[in-house]
Amino acid sequence: MMHYEDNISEVTDENFSVYYKRGEDRSWNDKQLHWHEELEIICYVSGESRMICGRENFVPEPRGIYVVNPYELHDLYSEDGCMRHLLLVGKRMLRDLGCENLRFTHHMNDPEIADIFDRMRAESEQNDIYTKNALMALATEILVRLCREWSAEKTDQSSDESESKRRLTASIMEYIDRHFTEPISVGGICDEFGYSKSYICRVFHEITGLTIARQIAARRIYYAGTLLASKRYSVLECALMSGFTSASYFSKAYRKMYGRAPSDSE
């Protein structure tokens, strides 16, 4: 599945765990709620779009900064295309800077970070033998600024413990991605992975900021939204195809997430 983070594999490079791009992409009109292990930072430039991140919805503003923490469900989509700076930071760089256990505020107005993104654009256009190191240095400036001014919470744990929890969370999210249209439950997921309900729920919330039930519901609601947008199915059909057991429960959950009834989206 291709998302607007089209070169996300680049951040796994052993010596260069940063990916930067500025540009316009008109292929974001396909809503694809997704997640990844990297920290994502967007500096919005122009155009009309909408962003979903965890429980929050945003209409991005020019020079606004938007942060997606690792493992958070999110998407940025636009009917006509939009311009933005995109920065992806890999796990190795987060670990080296000592901020792998930090979570950041999703939206901020920070002219200093916006200015650094402008410098990243200029450096990217320079494109010489020094560009990679320069981009790493600028990405470090952004991360330091986030850590000092915009951290939301921190978990105190060893690196090994943190990595173990992140691997478990990633496995659970992959399982949900494969089975959310089926009648899965929190208890069933606990049985699948062999952990107690209290432990697995605590770890998942610690890493993602969401409950497992909320994650399942979000995947179902978002998928149902894509079915509604196709105008091929009724509200009831979209609900059942997405894993909901009734149209009334789906309508309530959809309205809570989008602020409107699913019938208004048909």
Side-chain angles (χ1 to χ4, degrees):
M1 185 182 296
M2 187 67 72
H3 306 298
Y4 58 91
E5 308 103 328
D6 52 356
N7 287 74
I8 198 168
S9 60
E10 290 190 14
V11 299
T12 61
D13 187 303
E14 281 297 312
N15 299 310
F16 187 66
S17 59
V18 164
Y19 170 72
Y20 167 77
K21 178 181 179 181
R22 180 192 187 275
E24 182 177 22
D25 194 322
R26 296 182 177 273
S27 64
W28 301 353
N29 54 354
D30 255 347
K31 299 178 183 178
Q32 300 285 3
L33 197 65
H34 60 286
W35 60 275
H36 44 69
E37 297 180 334
E38 292 74 23
L39 178 69
E40 176 176 338
I41 309 163
I42 290 174
C43 179
Y44 202 73
V45 178
S46 62
E48 295 185 2
S49 65
R50 192 168 188 84
M51 184 171 188
I52 292 178
C53 184
R55 300 180 180 180
E56 299 182 74
N57 288 266
F58 305 102
V59 177
E61 303 171 349
R63 291 182 70 78
I65 306 300
Y66 301 87
V67 178
V68 180
N69 294 293
Y71 302 99
E72 287 185 325
L73 281 175
H74 65 283
D75 190 28
L76 173 68
Y77 58 92
S78 171
E79 297 296 330
D80 301 312
C82 53
M83 188 78 71
R84 89 291 179 247
H85 301 269
L86 169 67
L87 176 64
L88 295 170
V89 181
K91 292 189 296 181
R92 176 176 177 176
M93 186 171 184
L94 295 175
R95 184 171 59 250
D96 289 347
L97 289 176
C99 56
E100 64 176 334
N101 294 325
L102 284 179
R103 296 177 63 82
F104 301 104
T105 304
H106 288 145
H107 172 228
M108 61 210 69
N109 292 308
D110 191 314
E112 184 172 322
I113 293 179
D115 288 344
I116 297 173
F117 271 109
D118 288 337
R119 290 160 58 197
M120 294 189 86
R121 177 192 180 187
E123 188 57 55
S124 181
E125 292 174 347
Q126 184 80 13
N127 195 27
D128 59 20
I129 60 173
Y130 308 107
T131 294
K132 276 193 171 185
N133 286 333
L135 289 176
M136 285 281 283
L138 292 170
T140 300
E141 284 190 49
I142 290 176
L143 284 175
V144 169
R145 178 74 178 173
L146 288 176
C147 291
R148 286 175 172 168
E149 304 295 335
W150 300 106
S151 59
E153 59 185 76
K154 180 179 181 179
T155 57
D156 295 319
Q157 54 194 259
S158 69
S159 179
D160 289 344
E161 181 184 7
S162 175
E163 184 60 28
S164 175
K165 289 180 177 180
R166 291 175 188 277
R167 285 198 301 268
L168 174 60
T169 300
S171 296
I172 294 170
M173 296 184 78
E174 288 168 356
Y175 182 85
I176 292 172
D177 287 347
R178 293 195 305 269
H179 299 286
F180 69 87
T181 59
E182 304 168 14
I184 59 174
S185 66
V186 176
I189 290 175
C190 294
D191 291 340
E192 176 72 22
F193 289 93
Y195 290 94
S196 69
K197 185 175 181 179
S198 60
Y199 177 78
I200 214 167
C201 289
R202 176 169 56 82
V203 168
F204 192 87
H205 186 269
E206 180 181 304
I207 299 299
T208 69
L210 295 175
T211 65
I212 294 176
R214 173 75 180 182
Q215 183 89 355
I216 295 171
R219 294 295 284 120
R220 287 173 171 170
I221 294 167
Y222 210 68
Y223 180 63
T226 65
L227 296 177
L228 285 169
S230 73
K231 302 186 183 300
R232 297 170 56 192
Y233 309 101
S234 68
V235 171
L236 176 59
E237 288 173 322
C238 291
L240 297 178
M241 292 169 67
S242 303
F244 289 97
T245 56
S246 71
S248 60
Y249 178 62
F250 163 59
S251 296
K252 181 179 179 181
Y254 189 94
R255 184 185 292 274
K256 184 175 181 180
M257 183 169 184
Y258 290 110
R260 63 180 186 275
S263 55
D264 295 336
S265 303
E266 289 184 289

